[in-house]
Amino acid sequence: MNNRRSFLSKALLSLPVLSSVPLFGQKKQVRKPIVISTWDSGIPVNEAAFEVLKHKDGRALDAVEQGARHIENQINCCVGLGGNPDRDGYVTLDASIMDDKMNCGAVAFLEDIKNPISVARKVMETTPHVFLVGEGARAFALKNGFKAEPKELSKEAEKAYKKWLKKSEYKPVKNIELEQNKALKNGPFAPNRFEDGSFNHDTMGLVALDQAGNLSGACTTSGMGFKLRGRVGDSPIIGAGLYVDNEVGAVTSSGQGEEVIRIAGSHLVVEFMRQGKAPEEACRLAIERLVKINPEKARDFQVGFIALNKYGEYGSYAVNPGFVFSVTTEPGNGKVIETPSYFK
Ligand code: SD4
């Protein structure tokens, strides 16, 4: 934690302090712009987001969409069409986006479309609805100019699927079971595939605060690998995998989606921040709520939340060790930070 503390103090020193706003009844200085994202693969994602955030009028909404698109476009990575398929061999994608005015959009069980995050935004901005799924979501995407991509697994996903088929056992991999922090040791730009074709995650969630002081968030995923066909996790569910309240903060999650859904996780973290908790503490309280349901079971799955409040303060907490997140406050200064966890 020393590393994290020293990073925090260094980061805070180097951050531009642009304004102070009254929040929760007190005046506090706001550090902006800033973007935080799940996992170490968030570093290039944050850079893509900063292409927007570096401009005075760059909107957090555009920044998080660009960040999510960046990783969705990496066909050899873990999110988007390059991700692991369901147990029938099909990649199905989920995504959600939320802006500073409580507008939100989501898609789930979407096939063959490269950028589900942009389809989610289209749902948000051009329909009276929040959430489209499956065939309907796909038809909506095609009608709005998104192209159907070939139904092919990436080489890595094919390898992982073939390996999975040997036992055909649905057992989500908890990141702790992989060599802990292997991705970190490989450096922040390390590929998120391990040698046997497996990933250390399948989801990218990011939340940003722009120079105008507005928050937005995005979450995109291929879901848990080898899931039942039709399964949807937390990532596209507003309040579970993502929640933004521009008066308070923005939160997203990664890990075993079923566990996040049960506690309406991201919304819960925002509500703890509304009560005045710092981001890390708010994440910890939500994780404790989740672990309390079944502490023995919780040893075997991973969930991590990342939170950013209205002041540009951030924090994270996970169930088990091995979760990391990426923080960027100016182009090129992204840092990967280890998340503290309930079980040590
Ligand atoms: C899900 N939360 O579909 C996602 C999976 C994930 O890293 O985060 N993987 O449940």
Side-chain angles (χ1 to χ4, degrees):
M1 282 312 22
N2 280 343
N3 284 349
R4 182 172 176 276
R5 270 202 208 105
S6 62
F7 161 65
L8 273 176
S9 48
K10 267 187 225 141
L12 292 180
L13 278 177
S14 65
L15 282 173
V17 175
L18 296 179
S19 65
S20 66
V21 293
L23 191 75
F24 311 129
Q26 44 177 308
K27 265 199 162 185
K28 229 180 167 182
Q29 283 179 325
V30 183
R31 294 177 176 89
K32 57 193 178 175
I34 177 170
V35 56
I36 67 172
S37 52
T38 53
W39 305 105
D40 50 328
S41 50
I43 295 288
V45 166
N46 290 359
E47 281 304 306
F50 246 93
E51 284 301 309
V52 177
L53 292 174
K54 70 184 182 191
H55 300 291
K56 205 162 176 260
D57 56 354
R59 289 183 70 195
L61 177 65
D62 295 322
V64 294
E65 183 190 11
Q66 286 314 312
R69 283 177 66 92
H70 179 84
I71 196 161
E72 287 172 350
N73 291 341
Q74 313 294 313
I75 198 65
N76 61 349
C77 189
C78 36
V79 169
L81 291 176
N84 283 331
D86 63 18
R87 61 185 61 182
D88 294 351
Y90 301 102
V91 177
T92 70
L93 305 178
D94 306 333
S96 61
I97 192 159
M98 191 158 184
D99 75 5
D100 53 299
K101 296 182 182 66
M102 291 279 160
N103 296 311
C104 44
V107 289
F109 193 37
L110 179 65
E111 293 179 81
D112 324 329
I113 304 288
K114 202 174 189 176
N115 294 120
I117 199 66
S118 296
V119 185
R121 182 165 178 181
K122 258 288 184 267
V123 172
M124 171 173 98
E125 290 181 338
T126 68
T127 80
H129 308 304
V130 165
F131 205 166
L132 294 183
V133 303
E135 263 312 303
R138 186 171 180 274
F140 171 82
L142 295 177
K143 213 172 154 191
N144 281 280
F146 294 84
K147 287 197 185 68
E149 304 288 332
K151 274 188 194 279
E152 269 170 18
L153 293 185
S154 64
K155 267 196 209 121
E156 293 84 356
E158 195 170 348
K159 202 166 144 193
Y161 182 49
K162 281 191 179 143
K163 189 178 164 207
W164 179 82
L165 279 175
K166 284 187 193 148
K167 281 196 182 163
S168 299
E169 214 183 3
Y170 182 64
K171 213 175 159 198
V173 181
K174 184 180 60 165
N175 58 7
I176 192 176
E177 285 162 1
L178 301 165
E179 191 192 349
Q180 202 185 318
N181 292 329
K182 192 167 176 181
L184 262 182
K185 281 179 203 149
N186 289 346
F189 290 95
N192 292 100
R193 283 274 184 190
F194 294 101
E195 271 165 24
D196 67 355
S198 63
F199 290 128
N200 71 348
H201 69 94
D202 338 76
T203 301
M204 173 50 57
L206 68 156
V207 288
L209 180 67
D210 62 28
Q211 296 194 34
N214 289 318
L215 290 160
S216 289
C219 191
T220 183
T221 187
S222 53
M224 299 303 287
F226 322 121
K227 60 196 175 188
L228 263 183
R229 184 148 177 79
R231 179 266 187 194
V232 171
D234 57 325
S235 307
I237 298 179
I238 299 298
L242 177 71
Y243 199 68
V244 179
D245 183 327
N246 203 43
E247 287 182 2
V248 178
V251 177
T252 186
S253 61
S254 189
Q256 189 66 45
E258 285 75 4
E259 306 305 326
V260 179
I261 293 170
R262 264 190 242 285
I263 61 159
S266 292
H267 183 261
L268 183 61
V269 177
V270 167
E271 291 310 300
F272 282 132
M273 291 197 287
R274 193 190 307 280
Q275 292 167 14
K277 308 292 183 213
E280 183 181 309
E281 195 187 355
C283 293
R284 179 176 59 76
L285 290 170
I287 291 290
E288 283 174 6
R289 173 91 55 98
L290 197 155
V291 170
K292 201 172 141 202
I293 297 168
N294 186 339
E296 273 318 298
K297 185 178 159 206
R299 288 183 180 278
D300 293 327
F301 64 75
Q302 179 64 298
V303 166
F305 292 108
I306 63 170
L308 176 66
N309 72 12
K310 212 32 198 166
Y311 307 128
E313 297 166 334
Y314 55 85
S316 174
Y317 209 81
V319 174
N320 282 290
F323 186 61
V324 296
F325 69 110
S326 301
V327 178
T328 302
T329 57
E330 52 188 73
N333 83 345
K335 292 272 188 308
V336 177
I337 299 179
E338 247 176 86
T339 290
S341 55
Y342 183 91
F343 295 109
K344 305 300 169 197

